[in-house]
Amino acid sequence: MHALKKHRPLRRVTLAAATTVTGFVLLLSLKPHTAPTVAQASSSAGQSQSQSPSGSPSSGSTSGSSSAGSSGSTKSTGTKTVTGDTIQTRWGPVQVRVTLKNGKITDVTAVSYPSDNPRDQEINSYALPQLRREALAAQSAQIDSVSGATYTSDGYQQSLQSALDSAGL
Protein backbone atom coordinates (compact mmCIF):
# COMPACT_ATOMS: atom_id res chain seq x y z
CA MET A 1 0.00 0.00 0.00
CA HIS A 2 1.23 3.52 -0.79
CA ALA A 3 2.35 5.75 2.11
CA LEU A 4 0.18 8.71 1.09
CA LYS A 5 -3.17 6.93 0.93
CA LYS A 6 -6.27 8.59 2.35
CA HIS A 7 -6.19 6.70 5.61
CA ARG A 8 -3.00 8.60 6.58
CA PRO A 9 -3.84 12.32 5.99
CA LEU A 10 -1.48 13.53 8.74
CA ARG A 11 1.48 12.10 6.84
CA ARG A 12 0.43 14.00 3.69
CA VAL A 13 0.11 17.28 5.64
CA THR A 14 3.49 16.77 7.28
CA LEU A 15 5.15 16.07 3.92
CA ALA A 16 3.52 19.16 2.35
CA ALA A 17 4.61 21.37 5.26
CA ALA A 18 8.18 20.05 5.13
CA THR A 19 8.34 20.66 1.38
CA THR A 20 7.00 24.20 1.77
CA VAL A 21 9.49 25.04 4.53
CA THR A 22 12.36 23.60 2.48
CA GLY A 23 11.38 25.63 -0.57
CA PHE A 24 11.05 28.79 1.51
CA VAL A 25 14.51 28.29 3.08
CA LEU A 26 16.06 27.75 -0.33
CA LEU A 27 14.37 30.87 -1.65
CA LEU A 28 15.64 32.98 1.24
CA SER A 29 19.17 31.65 0.84
CA LEU A 30 19.50 33.24 -2.61
CA LYS A 31 21.73 36.29 -2.50
CA PRO A 32 20.73 39.42 -4.41
CA HIS A 33 23.12 40.66 -7.07
CA THR A 34 25.12 43.67 -5.89
CA ALA A 35 27.68 45.63 -7.85
CA PRO A 36 31.19 44.86 -6.58
CA THR A 37 33.62 47.58 -5.64
CA VAL A 38 36.72 47.98 -7.77
CA ALA A 39 40.06 47.61 -6.03
CA GLN A 40 42.95 49.87 -6.97
CA ALA A 41 45.68 48.10 -8.93
CA SER A 42 48.39 50.14 -7.22
CA SER A 43 48.91 50.05 -3.49
CA SER A 44 52.01 52.26 -3.26
CA ALA A 45 51.22 55.42 -1.35
CA GLY A 46 54.09 57.45 -2.83
CA GLN A 47 53.22 56.77 -6.46
CA SER A 48 50.35 59.22 -6.90
CA GLN A 49 51.60 60.31 -10.34
CA SER A 50 50.50 56.94 -11.69
CA GLN A 51 46.80 57.74 -11.42
CA SER A 52 44.62 60.03 -13.42
CA PRO A 53 43.72 63.45 -11.93
CA SER A 54 40.40 62.08 -10.64
CA GLY A 55 42.26 59.46 -8.61
CA SER A 56 40.89 56.47 -10.47
CA PRO A 57 42.26 54.63 -13.48
CA SER A 58 40.77 55.67 -16.77
CA SER A 59 38.73 53.15 -18.71
CA GLY A 60 39.17 54.76 -22.11
CA SER A 61 42.03 54.52 -24.53
CA THR A 62 44.33 57.52 -24.73
CA SER A 63 44.56 57.13 -28.49
CA GLY A 64 42.77 55.26 -31.22
CA SER A 65 45.71 53.03 -32.13
CA SER A 66 47.09 50.14 -30.16
CA SER A 67 50.53 51.73 -30.06
CA ALA A 68 49.59 54.66 -27.87
CA GLY A 69 53.18 55.74 -27.45
CA SER A 70 55.50 54.56 -24.75
CA SER A 71 56.31 57.65 -22.79
CA GLY A 72 58.77 57.84 -19.94
CA SER A 73 60.38 60.27 -17.59
CA THR A 74 63.75 59.99 -15.89
CA LYS A 75 64.52 61.59 -12.55
CA SER A 76 67.94 62.29 -11.05
CA THR A 77 67.55 59.47 -8.50
CA GLY A 78 67.54 56.76 -11.19
CA THR A 79 63.77 56.35 -11.06
CA LYS A 80 62.06 55.98 -14.42
CA THR A 81 58.34 55.76 -15.19
CA VAL A 82 57.36 54.21 -18.52
CA THR A 83 53.86 53.71 -19.94
CA GLY A 84 53.32 50.70 -22.18
CA ASP A 85 51.29 50.50 -25.34
CA THR A 86 47.50 50.39 -25.14
CA ILE A 87 46.53 46.83 -26.04
CA GLN A 88 43.04 46.36 -27.47
CA THR A 89 41.46 43.21 -26.02
CA ARG A 90 38.08 41.65 -26.69
CA TRP A 91 36.58 43.44 -23.66
CA GLY A 92 38.42 46.76 -23.92
CA PRO A 93 41.83 48.44 -23.80
CA VAL A 94 44.54 47.51 -21.31
CA GLN A 95 47.51 49.77 -20.59
CA VAL A 96 50.20 49.50 -17.91
CA ARG A 97 52.59 52.03 -16.36
CA VAL A 98 55.84 50.73 -14.86
CA THR A 99 58.11 52.51 -12.38
CA LEU A 100 61.73 51.39 -12.39
CA LYS A 101 64.48 52.25 -9.93
CA ASN A 102 68.04 51.26 -10.79
CA GLY A 103 66.75 48.71 -13.33
CA LYS A 104 64.31 47.05 -10.90
CA ILE A 105 60.52 47.17 -11.21
CA THR A 106 59.24 48.99 -8.12
CA ASP A 107 55.64 49.61 -9.16
CA VAL A 108 53.19 48.50 -11.84
CA THR A 109 49.92 50.33 -12.33
CA ALA A 110 47.06 49.53 -14.69
CA VAL A 111 46.33 52.87 -16.36
CA SER A 112 43.52 51.61 -18.55
CA TYR A 113 41.48 48.42 -18.30
CA PRO A 114 37.95 47.20 -19.09
CA SER A 115 35.47 48.57 -16.55
CA ASP A 116 32.31 49.18 -18.56
CA ASN A 117 30.05 46.77 -16.68
CA PRO A 118 29.83 45.20 -13.22
CA ARG A 119 31.29 41.89 -14.45
CA ASP A 120 34.41 43.67 -15.80
CA GLN A 121 34.76 45.48 -12.50
CA GLU A 122 34.39 42.25 -10.53
CA ILE A 123 36.98 40.42 -12.62
CA ASN A 124 39.49 43.26 -12.55
CA SER A 125 39.07 43.85 -8.81
CA TYR A 126 40.83 40.54 -8.18
CA ALA A 127 42.85 40.13 -11.41
CA LEU A 128 44.76 43.44 -11.46
CA PRO A 129 46.23 43.19 -7.94
CA GLN A 130 47.26 39.61 -8.66
CA LEU A 131 48.89 40.57 -11.98
CA ARG A 132 50.70 43.43 -10.21
CA ARG A 133 52.06 41.07 -7.53
CA GLU A 134 53.20 38.60 -10.19
CA ALA A 135 54.98 41.31 -12.19
CA LEU A 136 56.75 42.69 -9.11
CA ALA A 137 57.83 39.20 -8.04
CA ALA A 138 58.98 38.11 -11.53
CA GLN A 139 60.62 41.47 -12.39
CA SER A 140 59.56 40.82 -15.99
CA ALA A 141 56.50 40.38 -18.20
CA GLN A 142 56.78 36.59 -17.94
CA ILE A 143 53.85 36.21 -15.54
CA ASP A 144 51.02 33.73 -15.21
CA SER A 145 47.55 34.59 -16.47
CA VAL A 146 44.76 34.97 -13.94
CA SER A 147 42.04 32.36 -14.29
CA GLY A 148 38.82 33.98 -15.44
CA ALA A 149 40.64 37.08 -16.71
CA THR A 150 42.53 35.68 -19.68
CA TYR A 151 42.01 38.62 -22.05
CA THR A 152 42.95 41.19 -19.41
CA SER A 153 45.98 39.09 -18.40
CA ASP A 154 47.20 38.84 -22.00
CA GLY A 155 46.76 42.59 -22.57
CA TYR A 156 48.50 43.34 -19.25
CA GLN A 157 51.48 41.14 -20.20
CA GLN A 158 51.79 42.71 -23.67
CA SER A 159 51.56 46.27 -22.35
CA LEU A 160 54.04 45.46 -19.57
CA GLN A 161 56.47 43.99 -22.10
CA SER A 162 56.20 47.08 -24.32
CA ALA A 163 56.90 49.32 -21.32
CA LEU A 164 59.93 47.24 -20.35
CA ASP A 165 61.16 47.30 -23.96
CA SER A 166 60.83 51.10 -24.01
CA ALA A 167 62.80 51.30 -20.78
CA GLY A 168 65.56 49.20 -22.28
CA LEU A 169 65.08 46.11 -20.11
Side-chain angles (χ1 to χ4, degrees):
M1 203 170 256
H2 193 270
L4 298 178
K5 291 291 184 185
K6 288 195 178 216
H7 66 277
R8 301 206 184 228
L10 187 58
R11 202 175 266 181
R12 181 180 288 175
V13 170
T14 305
L15 183 60
T19 304
T20 303
V21 168
T22 302
F24 191 66
V25 168
L26 289 174
L27 183 63
L28 290 178
S29 69
L30 291 175
K31 307 241 184 300
H33 179 71
T34 58
T37 59
V38 178
Q40 288 291 337
S42 172
S43 64
S44 296
Q47 299 296 331
S48 62
Q49 79 272 6
S50 65
Q51 295 181 355
S52 65
S54 66
S56 64
S58 63
S59 62
S61 173
T62 57
S63 117
S65 69
S66 67
S67 61
S70 299
S71 61
S73 62
T74 306
K75 299 175 185 169
S76 60
T77 61
T79 301
K80 188 175 190 180
T81 302
V82 183
T83 302
D85 292 341
T86 300
I87 306 300
Q88 294 296 331
T89 67
R90 179 177 178 180
W91 304 112
V94 177
Q95 186 176 29
V96 176
R97 181 176 296 135
V98 180
T99 303
L100 305 157
K101 185 171 185 175
N102 300 327
K104 300 283 186 185
I105 299 173
T106 59
D107 190 29
V108 182
T109 305
V111 178
S112 176
Y113 54 88
S115 60
D116 293 338
N117 62 54
R119 182 68 177 145
D120 288 343
Q121 294 170 7
E122 178 185 0
I123 290 171
N124 290 322
S125 70
Y126 71 83
L128 294 176
Q130 188 170 340
L131 289 167
R132 179 180 181 275
R133 281 192 302 273
E134 292 255 348
L136 290 173
Q139 291 291 306
S140 72
Q142 302 302 317
I143 58 177
D144 292 333
S145 292
V146 175
S147 179
T150 307
Y151 291 103
T152 299
S153 296
D154 291 345
Y156 193 97
Q157 290 169 345
Q158 292 174 27
S159 183
L160 179 58
Q161 185 62 56
S162 73
L164 294 175
D165 290 345
S166 296
L169 293 180

CSV table of all heavy atoms in Angstrom, one decimal, residues 116-141:
chain,number,residue,atom,x,y,z
A,116,ASP,N,33.6,48.7,-18.1
A,116,ASP,CA,32.3,49.2,-18.6
A,116,ASP,C,31.1,48.6,-17.9
A,116,ASP,O,30.0,49.2,-17.8
A,116,ASP,CB,32.2,48.9,-20.1
A,116,ASP,CG,33.2,49.8,-20.9
A,116,ASP,OD1,33.7,50.8,-20.3
A,116,ASP,OD2,33.5,49.4,-22.0
A,117,ASN,N,31.2,47.4,-17.3
A,117,ASN,CA,30.0,46.8,-16.7
A,117,ASN,C,30.5,46.1,-15.4
A,117,ASN,O,31.6,46.0,-15.1
A,117,ASN,CB,29.4,45.8,-17.6
A,117,ASN,CG,30.3,44.6,-18.0
A,117,ASN,OD1,30.9,43.9,-17.1
A,117,ASN,ND2,30.5,44.4,-19.3
A,118,PRO,N,29.5,45.8,-14.5
A,118,PRO,CA,29.8,45.2,-13.2
A,118,PRO,C,30.7,43.9,-13.3
A,118,PRO,O,31.5,43.7,-12.4
A,118,PRO,CB,28.5,44.9,-12.6
A,118,PRO,CG,27.5,45.8,-13.3
A,118,PRO,CD,28.1,46.0,-14.7
A,119,ARG,N,30.5,43.1,-14.3
A,119,ARG,CA,31.3,41.9,-14.5
A,119,ARG,C,32.8,42.2,-14.7
A,119,ARG,O,33.6,41.6,-14.1
A,119,ARG,CB,30.7,41.0,-15.6
A,119,ARG,CG,31.4,39.7,-15.7
A,119,ARG,CD,31.2,38.8,-14.6
A,119,ARG,NE,31.9,37.5,-14.8
A,119,ARG,CZ,32.5,36.8,-13.9
A,119,ARG,NH1,32.5,37.2,-12.6
A,119,ARG,NH2,33.1,35.7,-14.2
A,120,ASP,N,33.0,43.2,-15.6
A,120,ASP,CA,34.4,43.7,-15.8
A,120,ASP,C,35.0,44.2,-14.5
A,120,ASP,O,36.2,43.9,-14.2
A,120,ASP,CB,34.4,44.8,-16.8
A,120,ASP,CG,34.2,44.4,-18.2
A,120,ASP,OD1,34.2,43.2,-18.5
A,120,ASP,OD2,33.8,45.2,-19.1
A,121,GLN,N,34.3,44.9,-13.8
A,121,GLN,CA,34.8,45.5,-12.5
A,121,GLN,C,35.0,44.4,-11.5
A,121,GLN,O,36.1,44.4,-10.8
A,121,GLN,CB,33.7,46.5,-11.9
A,121,GLN,CG,33.6,47.7,-12.8
A,121,GLN,CD,32.4,48.6,-12.3
A,121,GLN,OE1,31.8,48.3,-11.3
A,121,GLN,NE2,32.1,49.6,-13.1
A,122,GLU,N,34.2,43.4,-11.4
A,122,GLU,CA,34.4,42.3,-10.5
A,122,GLU,C,35.7,41.5,-10.9
A,122,GLU,O,36.5,41.2,-10.0
A,122,GLU,CB,33.2,41.3,-10.6
A,122,GLU,CG,33.3,40.1,-9.7
A,122,GLU,CD,32.2,39.1,-9.8
A,122,GLU,OE1,31.2,39.4,-10.6
A,122,GLU,OE2,32.2,38.1,-9.1
A,123,ILE,N,35.8,41.2,-12.2
A,123,ILE,CA,37.0,40.4,-12.6
A,123,ILE,C,38.3,41.2,-12.3
A,123,ILE,O,39.2,40.7,-11.8
A,123,ILE,CB,36.9,40.1,-14.1
A,123,ILE,CG1,35.8,39.0,-14.3
A,123,ILE,CG2,38.2,39.6,-14.7
A,123,ILE,CD1,35.4,38.8,-15.8
A,124,ASN,N,38.3,42.5,-12.7
A,124,ASN,CA,39.5,43.3,-12.6
A,124,ASN,C,39.8,43.6,-11.1
A,124,ASN,O,40.9,43.9,-10.8
A,124,ASN,CB,39.4,44.5,-13.4
A,124,ASN,CG,39.5,44.2,-14.9
A,124,ASN,OD1,40.2,43.3,-15.3
A,124,ASN,ND2,38.7,44.8,-15.7
A,125,SER,N,38.8,43.6,-10.2
A,125,SER,CA,39.1,43.8,-8.8
A,125,SER,C,40.0,42.8,-8.2
A,125,SER,O,40.7,43.1,-7.2
A,125,SER,CB,37.8,44.0,-8.0
A,125,SER,OG,37.1,42.7,-7.9
A,126,TYR,N,39.9,41.6,-8.7
A,126,TYR,CA,40.8,40.5,-8.2
A,126,TYR,C,42.0,40.3,-9.1
A,126,TYR,O,43.1,39.9,-8.7
A,126,TYR,CB,40.1,39.2,-7.8
A,126,TYR,CG,39.6,38.4,-9.0
A,126,TYR,CD1,40.4,37.6,-9.7
A,126,TYR,CD2,38.3,38.5,-9.4
A,126,TYR,CE1,39.9,36.8,-10.8
A,126,TYR,CE2,37.8,37.8,-10.5
A,126,TYR,CZ,38.6,36.9,-11.1
A,126,TYR,OH,38.1,36.2,-12.2
A,127,ALA,N,41.8,40.5,-10.4
A,127,ALA,CA,42.9,40.1,-11.4
A,127,ALA,C,44.0,41.1,-11.4
A,127,ALA,O,45.2,40.7,-11.4
A,127,ALA,CB,42.3,40.0,-12.8
A,128,LEU,N,43.7,42.4,-11.4
A,128,LEU,CA,44.8,43.4,-11.5
A,128,LEU,C,45.7,43.4,-10.3
A,128,LEU,O,46.9,43.5,-10.5
A,128,LEU,CB,44.2,44.8,-11.6
A,128,LEU,CG,43.4,45.0,-13.0
A,128,LEU,CD1,42.8,46.4,-13.0
A,128,LEU,CD2,44.4,44.9,-14.2
A,129,PRO,N,45.3,43.3,-9.0
A,129,PRO,CA,46.2,43.2,-7.9
A,129,PRO,C,47.1,41.9,-8.0
A,129,PRO,O,48.3,42.0,-7.7
A,129,PRO,CB,45.4,43.2,-6.7
A,129,PRO,CG,44.1,43.8,-7.1
A,129,PRO,CD,43.9,43.5,-8.5
A,130,GLN,N,46.5,40.9,-8.5
A,130,GLN,CA,47.3,39.6,-8.7
A,130,GLN,C,48.3,39.7,-9.8
A,130,GLN,O,49.4,39.3,-9.6
A,130,GLN,CB,46.3,38.4,-8.9
A,130,GLN,CG,47.0,37.1,-8.9
A,130,GLN,CD,46.0,35.9,-8.9
A,130,GLN,OE1,44.8,36.1,-8.7
A,130,GLN,NE2,46.5,34.8,-9.3
A,131,LEU,N,47.9,40.3,-10.9
A,131,LEU,CA,48.9,40.6,-12.0
A,131,LEU,C,50.0,41.5,-11.5
A,131,LEU,O,51.2,41.3,-11.9
A,131,LEU,CB,48.2,41.1,-13.2
A,131,LEU,CG,47.2,40.2,-13.9
A,131,LEU,CD1,46.3,40.9,-14.9
A,131,LEU,CD2,48.0,39.1,-14.7
A,132,ARG,N,49.7,42.5,-10.7
A,132,ARG,CA,50.7,43.4,-10.2
A,132,ARG,C,51.7,42.7,-9.3
A,132,ARG,O,52.9,42.8,-9.5
A,132,ARG,CB,50.0,44.5,-9.4
A,132,ARG,CG,51.0,45.5,-8.8
A,132,ARG,CD,50.3,46.6,-8.0
A,132,ARG,NE,51.2,47.6,-7.5
A,132,ARG,CZ,51.8,47.4,-6.4
A,132,ARG,NH1,51.6,46.4,-5.6
A,132,ARG,NH2,52.7,48.3,-6.0
A,133,ARG,N,51.2,41.9,-8.4
A,133,ARG,CA,52.1,41.1,-7.5
A,133,ARG,C,53.0,40.2,-8.3
A,133,ARG,O,54.2,40.0,-8.0
A,133,ARG,CB,51.2,40.2,-6.6
A,133,ARG,CG,50.7,41.0,-5.4
A,133,ARG,CD,50.1,40.1,-4.3
A,133,ARG,NE,49.0,39.2,-4.8
A,133,ARG,CZ,47.8,39.6,-4.8
A,133,ARG,NH1,47.4,40.8,-4.4
A,133,ARG,NH2,46.8,38.7,-5.3
A,134,GLU,N,52.4,39.5,-9.3
A,134,GLU,CA,53.2,38.6,-10.2
A,134,GLU,C,54.3,39.4,-10.9
A,134,GLU,O,55.4,38.9,-11.0
A,134,GLU,CB,52.3,37.9,-11.2
A,134,GLU,CG,51.3,37.0,-10.6
A,134,GLU,CD,51.7,35.5,-10.9
A,134,GLU,OE1,52.6,35.3,-11.7
A,134,GLU,OE2,51.1,34.7,-10.2
A,135,ALA,N,54.0,40.5,-11.5
A,135,ALA,CA,55.0,41.3,-12.2
A,135,ALA,C,56.1,41.8,-11.3
A,135,ALA,O,57.3,41.8,-11.6
A,135,ALA,CB,54.3,42.5,-12.9
A,136,LEU,N,55.7,42.2,-10.1
A,136,LEU,CA,56.8,42.7,-9.1
A,136,LEU,C,57.6,41.5,-8.7
A,136,LEU,O,58.8,41.7,-8.5
A,136,LEU,CB,56.1,43.4,-7.9
A,136,LEU,CG,55.4,44.7,-8.2
A,136,LEU,CD1,54.7,45.2,-7.0
A,136,LEU,CD2,56.5,45.7,-8.6
A,137,ALA,N,57.1,40.4,-8.5
A,137,ALA,CA,57.8,39.2,-8.0
A,137,ALA,C,58.7,38.7,-9.2
A,137,ALA,O,59.9,38.3,-8.9
A,137,ALA,CB,56.9,38.1,-7.6
A,138,ALA,N,58.2,38.6,-10.4
A,138,ALA,CA,59.0,38.1,-11.5
A,138,ALA,C,60.0,39.1,-12.1
A,138,ALA,O,61.0,38.7,-12.7
A,138,ALA,CB,58.0,37.7,-12.6
A,139,GLN,N,59.8,40.4,-11.8
A,139,GLN,CA,60.6,41.5,-12.4
A,139,GLN,C,60.7,41.4,-13.9
A,139,GLN,O,61.7,41.7,-14.5
A,139,GLN,CB,62.0,41.4,-11.8
A,139,GLN,CG,62.1,41.8,-10.3
A,139,GLN,CD,61.8,43.3,-10.1
A,139,GLN,OE1,62.4,44.2,-10.7
A,139,GLN,NE2,60.8,43.6,-9.3
A,140,SER,N,59.6,40.9,-14.5
A,140,SER,CA,59.6,40.8,-16.0
A,140,SER,C,58.1,40.7,-16.4
A,140,SER,O,57.2,40.7,-15.5
A,140,SER,CB,60.3,39.6,-16.5
A,140,SER,OG,59.7,38.4,-16.2
A,141,ALA,N,57.9,40.6,-17.7
A,141,ALA,CA,56.5,40.4,-18.2
A,141,ALA,C,56.1,38.9,-18.3
A,141,ALA,O,55.0,38.6,-18.8
A,141,ALA,CB,56.4,41.1,-19.6
